[in-house]
Amino acid sequence: MSASGRLGTTDFTLSLSNNDASRRGGQGPELVLDGNGQLLLSRWQRDVFFIDSPRLAGTIHRESAAGSVFNASLSAERYDFRVAFDGIATPLPPEPLVEETFRQTDNSWNVEAGADYEFPVGPGRLKLIGLQRYAHGPLMATSRARQSLLGAVATGTLYERTARDGESVLRAEFVWGEDEEKWQAAFEGAYNFLEVSSAVGTLRPDGSYSRTILRGGNIFVDEWRSNISLTRGWRLNEHVSLQTLIGAEFSEIRQTGAGGLSRQFWRPKGSATLSWTMSPRLTFNASLERQVGQLDFLDFSAAVDLINGVTNAGNTALVPEQSWRFEGQLVRSFGSAGSVTLGGYGEAISDIVDRIPVNATEESIGNLPTARRWGMIARGTLLLDTIGWRGGRINASSEFRDSRVRDPITGTFRRISQDLVRRWSVDIRHDIPGTDIAWGGSLSEELKARTFRLDQLFETYLDQPIATVFVEHKNVAGFTVRLGLRNVLNGEDYIRRDFYVDRRDGPIDFSEIQTRRIHLIGVLTISGTF
């Protein structure tokens, strides 16, 4: 919910939200098969997820008679994530049953403050922008197993990590020229840091856990980064416009801890965007861009995934991705009936971030030399008033993608690990005329490529699209209240992991095949503005 108002010449808003909150769970069987497909053991597992992310935010906006504009914002957010797995493993006789549990908590928070001030200077306008962000995130995961025998002793492992990170940004933009042929010169300086401390341990007889420092898990990484760019708009004729940007990025990344080092990077950047109004209802857009990616500093640190039984080594040699991206789109307007967009894109990527082996037995997040990615997109909106269904609306979107990278283990080409394969959705909504009531639903699907690890191949997907329905009332004591159901088609989650002998270029050692029944999920949303 949010409140807004005005004090003198200053506008303000204050909002409180918990949009990502959810409670969900699933249950189902897991089969563990040897390399020949013979049963080794079976499990029955149940999982429960709790997510809350309350966020308090405020903004102010002020314009002066002299033409200056001031904006400021402040937000604070808490993220609480809890997951619990409970299972019973049934090995082949005469081995006893095994009770298994897994728990993970992530109780992080972040604060962010930003401000910008825009005012006239000479022939143009100058905008000064500042941002400060700080976050703190403790995470702890534990797993336990105990045979169902009198006097059996439980065994278990622990992984905990505390991450502290922040970002400071100062930016200046100067804009001048005519509306359709403006120039913009921009300079940005930023400082980012991440400090991580990690530990692993084993379960003691008294129920507590020992703790030892994870090798490669204690690091401090920081980056000084600056960007400079010059943008120009061009009106080529009555129907064609062009925007060009040239720029460069300089950064210095420093790391302390195991294998620490300091590196400097200079990367050119730029783009050209063309818009051609072919007719009053048909527009063609095209762009060519040189992109420079940003690193996730957590990838520099070693980490443990207890639920999947894998460990990532730290990698101090990570470098940012770079790519050339081309995109083209045709936009067809149907006036009051809606519009349709069709397009495609392609990317040539260098230093793609994927999973790489660092020695015979360890892997990490790292860079592969080159990759390709291409895809097609379609989206549209249909307003149903034109065919007699007043208040009706259909939105649809889709993206289909393929990619190609040479696998560092097998030497063959494959998709980029965990890259998008397809994503589509269809949403329908009907606002009943003359009332405050609306209803609707959606059908959607998202599928990603498999995860390729040193000694594992992992894939997961839902066996059918996710269907939702809802009913909404837009004035319940001034609030909008929506009640919905998710997973109406009762879809199930399918998970498969193939574990290889030594590395993934050898024979399969064993496989885990899981099915999770998700059941119906109820969704209640209450929103309002004062």
Side-chain angles (χ1 to χ4, degrees):
M1 61 181 178
S2 64
S4 60
R6 186 176 181 88
L7 294 174
T9 59
T10 302
D11 298 307
F12 69 89
T13 64
L14 186 65
S15 63
L16 177 64
S17 61
N18 193 14
N19 295 331
D20 295 327
S22 69
R23 306 288 188 272
R24 62 183 178 87
Q27 59 182 347
E30 175 183 317
L31 301 178
V32 180
L33 311 176
D34 67 15
N36 297 317
Q38 300 300 309
L39 182 67
L40 293 176
L41 64 84
S42 62
R43 288 188 177 95
W44 183 266
Q45 293 183 322
R46 175 178 177 269
D47 55 55
V48 181
F49 294 82
F50 298 86
I51 302 174
D52 281 298
S53 58
R55 183 175 186 269
L56 179 64
T59 66
I60 60 173
H61 171 83
R62 182 171 182 172
E63 299 184 18
S64 73
S68 62
V69 180
F70 175 74
N71 296 287
S73 62
L74 179 65
S75 66
E77 184 173 10
R78 169 87 180 189
Y79 179 75
D80 291 313
F81 173 85
R82 290 177 292 152
V83 59
F85 284 73
D86 295 285
I88 297 291
T90 307
L92 295 178
E95 295 296 321
L97 301 179
V98 180
E99 301 171 358
E100 301 173 329
T101 63
F102 170 81
R103 301 288 185 269
Q104 180 172 312
T105 60
D106 182 352
N107 305 118
S108 59
W109 55 266
N110 70 81
V111 293
E112 182 177 305
D116 63 76
Y117 182 56
E118 182 180 351
F119 55 96
V121 174
R125 294 181 67 83
L126 178 64
K127 187 174 185 178
L128 303 176
I129 305 167
L131 180 141
Q132 181 65 53
R133 182 186 59 82
Y134 182 81
H136 178 79
L139 178 148
M140 185 173 71
T142 60
S143 64
R144 297 190 184 199
R146 190 181 74 86
Q147 292 182 332
S148 297
L149 294 174
L150 184 64
V153 178
T155 60
T157 55
L158 168 141
Y159 169 65
E160 63 181 7
R161 182 192 72 202
T162 300
R164 182 177 65 89
D165 66 280
E167 180 179 29
S168 304
V169 179
L170 290 175
R171 180 179 175 88
E173 300 174 351
F174 184 62
V175 179
W176 73 97
E178 300 296 329
D179 286 344
E180 296 181 347
E181 296 189 341
K182 285 185 177 181
W183 291 82
Q184 183 195 73
F187 174 81
E188 179 179 300
Y191 174 73
N192 304 282
F193 76 88
L194 170 70
E195 184 178 26
V196 177
S197 58
S198 307
V200 292
T202 57
L203 183 64
R204 294 176 173 138
D206 64 0
S208 64
Y209 287 88
S210 64
R211 284 172 171 80
T212 58
I213 295 175
L214 174 65
R215 182 172 63 90
N218 286 6
I219 65 164
F220 179 85
V221 184
D222 68 352
E223 176 189 34
W224 291 95
R225 186 180 72 248
S226 59
N227 286 277
I228 188 169
S229 65
L230 182 64
T231 305
R232 170 73 154 96
W234 312 80
R235 170 60 70 176
L236 302 183
N237 60 44
E238 183 181 356
H239 304 290
V240 182
S241 62
L242 175 69
Q243 185 180 77
T244 57
L245 178 149
I246 57 172
E249 177 179 300
F250 173 81
S251 64
E252 180 181 14
I253 299 177
R254 303 176 300 181
Q255 179 184 345
T256 61
L261 71 157
S262 177
R263 296 170 296 156
Q264 294 181 345
F265 302 95
W266 183 86
R267 309 290 197 194
K269 303 167 68 174
S271 66
T273 304
L274 179 76
S275 180
W276 176 19
T277 304
M278 304 172 67
S279 72
R281 292 196 172 187
L282 185 64
T283 302
F284 173 71
N285 300 312
S287 64
L288 177 65
E289 184 176 3
R290 177 63 169 175
Q291 298 178 329
V292 178
Q294 297 296 319
L295 292 174
D296 184 346
F297 286 172
L298 280 174
D299 293 336
F300 285 75
S301 172
V304 176
D305 182 354
L306 292 184
I307 190 63
N308 293 314
V310 296
T311 300
N312 280 336
N315 186 355
T316 61
L318 270 172
V319 300
E321 290 182 0
Q322 298 181 87
S323 65
W324 285 102
R325 178 184 172 93
F326 173 78
E327 183 171 357
Q329 292 184 357
L330 275 173
V331 182
R332 177 68 163 90
S333 172
F334 297 97
S336 60
S339 65
V340 171
T341 299
L342 300 174
Y345 60 86
E347 289 182 85
I349 310 169
S350 58
D351 297 322
I352 178 73
V353 175
D354 206 305
R355 296 182 181 275
I356 65 169
V358 294
N359 54 48
T361 59
E362 291 184 303
E363 67 176 350
S364 72
I365 302 297
N367 299 102
L368 297 176
T370 60
R372 299 289 185 268
R373 179 188 285 132
W374 58 93
M376 299 183 65
I377 60 172
R379 59 179 177 271
T381 298
L382 178 61
L383 304 178
L384 302 177
D385 296 63
T386 56
I387 60 173
W389 190 10
R390 292 179 57 209
R393 179 189 186 102
I394 296 176
N395 292 318
S397 65
S398 64
E399 180 178 358
F400 296 87
R401 180 188 295 177
D402 202 353
S403 59
R404 178 181 172 94
V405 67
R406 188 178 291 277
D407 191 287
I409 302 295
T410 65
T412 59
F413 287 103
R414 59 164 171 83
R415 289 180 181 267
I416 298 171
S417 189
Q418 294 182 293
D419 200 34
L420 180 69
V421 174
R422 66 176 178 267
R423 172 172 51 209
W424 60 267
S425 66
V426 178
D427 301 88
I428 185 170
R429 178 184 174 94
H430 183 212
D431 291 272
I432 301 175
T435 74
D436 292 320
I437 298 174
W439 64 272
S442 68
L443 198 65
S444 63
E445 181 189 35
E446 180 173 295
L447 177 65
K448 291 190 175 183
R450 294 177 292 179
T451 301
F452 298 84
R453 306 190 69 105
L454 177 70
D455 61 351
Q456 294 181 30
L457 191 58
F458 172 83
E459 65 175 327
T460 179
Y461 58 85
L462 292 173
D463 66 344
Q464 55 189 312
I466 290 291
T468 66
V469 295
F470 73 88
V471 61
E472 177 181 290
H473 198 292
K474 290 170 280 189
N475 187 14
V476 178
F479 291 91
T480 298
V481 178
R482 174 185 287 197
L483 180 63
L485 292 174
R486 183 177 172 85
N487 195 33
V488 176
L489 298 180
N490 202 28
E492 295 184 346
D493 197 6
Y494 175 85
I495 302 169
R496 178 177 181 130
R497 275 193 297 269
D498 294 322
F499 294 79
Y500 290 76
V501 177
D502 295 327
R503 292 158 70 100
R504 194 164 31 82
D505 55 356
I508 291 179
D509 187 14
F510 64 94
S511 300
E512 296 178 347
I513 303 173
Q514 304 176 31
T515 304
R516 290 285 190 277
R517 177 167 291 180
I518 305 173
H519 302 294
L520 276 174
I521 301 173
V523 181
L524 175 64
T525 304
I526 302 174
S527 60
T529 301
F530 301 93

